[in-house]
Amino acid sequence: MTGAGSDHRIPELDGLRATAILVVVAWHYLGMQGGPDTFEWQVLAFGRAGVDLFFALSGFLITRILLKHTDATNYFSAFYGRRCFRILPIYGAVVGLWLLTKIGRMNDGDLPWWSYIIGVQNFFMAARQSYGAYSLSGTWSLAVEEQFYLVFPMIVLVTSRKYFLPLLLSLIILCPIGRAICYSLDDRFGYYVLMPLRADILAVGAIVAWFEYSPPGPRVKAMFRATFWVTLLLMPAAVFAVGQNVSWAYWVHTYLVAFCGSALFMTVQNRGARELAFLRTGAAAFFARISYALYLVHGIVFANINGAFRNLPELVVILSFAMSVLICMASYRFLEKPLIELGHRKYQYRPPAQNIAVASIARA
């Protein structure tokens, strides 16, 4: 399957990814340290929304890849091979280092150590109402993405194009209901960390990708444009509400589906526009490159530096951010980039046999 723009990288997405990681780091470094009564907490608690933006971007990028290569003879092996080379090395390094610190203490009250290895820690977080080990508390979102990777390629392959968009829209309708039910049953983790209940933010990204192959009409564009401006105007109220510890279960995540989805749609549809130049800067590209590693390591670095300089909070933030960035630069340069390139060389999507035959005839 091919479509307009399906072969080209969209530089503006770097700006969205950079925004996502920086607001998450700001929340962890500057917001949550003082407690819910502080000004910093109340202003920066909305930084958790960076994870939602990551999910929307992932839904878009993964769906775009899958729709482009549904006819490939190695559709599954190429997709999973490339994902493994991208996701597992740095994740394995972080989990491996954590396991080394727990030798002899595998059952000291954290989640089962093996749940992090097979990517089901989010289910244990929901069952035990705990984030588990601090160093790996943020990995619930990676578990959500891994579970998305497990099921979505098959869904894309077997779902008729006639029913693909309705399926995605049904997730956007059903997930808020599921979160509300979950929260009403006194579950304070499941609505946040379980993939089935976060599928709507992934689905809205997939919908934007679908419109890369089935161009939207004027009505659809107008709907997304109106949604973007309305949700943007409502953002101060959302930030205030989140700062007052309003539950995310009933409406915040649904609001973010609307905002992130419409912002992503507007960005993709207007790529190359002068007004979006701020998303195409070198700084945006830099933080986008290291965003995955930065998400994994920034909390670990902060915890260790905070232990050494607890009475100097400003210094802790500066040193933690600088050290995290340096670690991630090295990780991307010496680990992630070479392995990503190796994965792409080793797992190239192969076109259908008839396309290969036509190409051979054309070259003859």
Side-chain angles (χ1 to χ4, degrees):
M1 185 174 187
T2 59
S6 61
D7 294 321
H8 303 294
R9 182 176 173 275
I10 303 174
E12 289 83 355
L13 299 187
D14 286 344
L16 297 184
R17 189 178 288 107
T19 300
I21 187 59
L22 290 175
V23 298
V24 168
V25 172
W27 159 236
H28 289 160
Y29 279 12
L30 302 172
M32 66 184 298
Q33 303 307 318
D37 295 328
T38 62
F39 174 77
E40 291 83 359
W41 175 293
Q42 294 171 6
V43 171
L44 296 173
F46 198 72
R48 293 166 59 189
V51 177
D52 293 69
L53 182 52
F54 273 130
F55 283 154
L57 286 165
S58 182
F60 171 78
L61 293 167
I62 295 303
T63 305
R64 195 171 185 240
I65 291 169
L66 294 173
L67 289 175
K68 178 183 176 182
H69 295 292
T70 49
D71 293 334
T73 58
N74 60 338
Y75 171 80
F76 288 109
S77 62
F79 174 78
Y80 287 118
R82 291 184 174 198
R83 285 292 90 195
C84 286
F85 272 88
R86 176 66 186 103
I87 298 297
L88 296 184
I90 183 65
Y91 177 74
V94 170
V95 174
L97 287 173
W98 174 75
L99 286 173
L100 287 175
T101 68
K102 286 179 62 67
I103 292 176
R105 298 182 294 110
M106 288 300 185
N107 298 303
D108 63 356
D110 294 326
L111 309 183
W113 62 270
W114 50 264
S115 67
Y116 297 102
I117 294 177
I118 66 174
V120 295
Q121 63 268 44
N122 57 330
F123 289 102
F124 282 94
M125 290 177 183
R128 299 187 179 182
Q129 298 289 285
S130 168
Y131 283 115
Y134 174 81
S135 299
L136 301 179
S137 59
T139 62
W140 68 268
S141 63
L142 302 182
V144 168
E145 294 225 20
E146 289 165 6
Q147 291 150 20
F148 170 63
Y149 298 155
L150 283 177
V151 300
F152 201 62
M154 179 61 75
I155 291 173
V156 171
L157 190 64
V158 304
T159 303
S160 165
R161 296 296 174 260
K162 177 181 178 182
Y163 298 111
F164 187 65
L165 188 58
L167 173 64
L168 297 175
L169 290 172
S170 69
L171 292 175
I172 291 177
I173 295 170
L174 293 174
C175 285
I177 299 172
R179 284 194 294 268
I181 294 173
C182 189
Y183 192 81
S184 68
L185 296 174
D186 292 327
D187 184 345
R188 297 299 180 261
F189 278 78
Y191 79 89
Y192 188 61
V193 303
L194 294 179
M195 197 279 284
L197 299 179
R198 303 305 304 277
D200 52 346
I201 190 68
L202 293 158
V204 78
I207 288 172
V208 177
W210 170 256
F211 288 130
E212 287 277 277
Y213 297 90
S214 181
R219 278 184 165 182
V220 172
K221 291 182 178 180
M223 181 193 70
F224 273 100
R225 186 164 54 249
T227 301
F228 172 73
W229 287 112
V230 169
T231 52
L232 183 63
L233 290 172
L234 289 174
M235 184 169 289
V239 171
F240 176 80
V242 168
Q244 301 303 310
N245 292 320
V246 170
S247 170
W248 289 56
Y250 290 120
W251 65 271
V252 178
H253 287 304
T254 304
Y255 163 83
L256 288 171
V257 168
F259 174 71
C260 294
S262 59
L264 179 59
F265 178 88
M266 296 285 285
T267 300
V268 170
Q269 291 293 314
N270 295 285
R271 55 190 172 221
R274 184 175 58 185
E275 294 80 4
L276 297 181
F278 70 98
L279 295 175
R280 301 190 294 267
T281 63
F286 170 76
F287 281 107
R289 280 195 301 272
I290 68 170
S291 60
Y292 175 46
L294 188 55
Y295 181 79
L296 279 172
V297 307
H298 76 275
I300 302 172
V301 172
F302 182 89
N304 284 278
I305 292 180
N306 189 48
F309 301 98
R310 188 177 300 275
N311 297 323
L312 299 168
E314 294 83 3
L315 181 63
V316 168
V317 170
I318 294 170
L319 288 178
S320 298
F321 187 69
M323 184 64 69
S324 296
V325 168
L326 288 174
I327 291 171
C328 294
M329 288 172 62
S331 170
Y332 186 80
R333 172 69 178 83
F334 298 109
L335 178 65
E336 295 170 77
K337 183 181 179 182
L339 289 176
I340 292 170
E341 292 174 349
L342 175 61
H344 279 245
R345 290 195 302 270
K346 184 176 177 63
Y347 294 99
Q348 297 185 36
Y349 286 98
R350 293 194 298 267
Q354 61 267 31
N355 290 353
I356 298 174
V358 170
S360 299
I361 293 171
R363 287 194 300 267

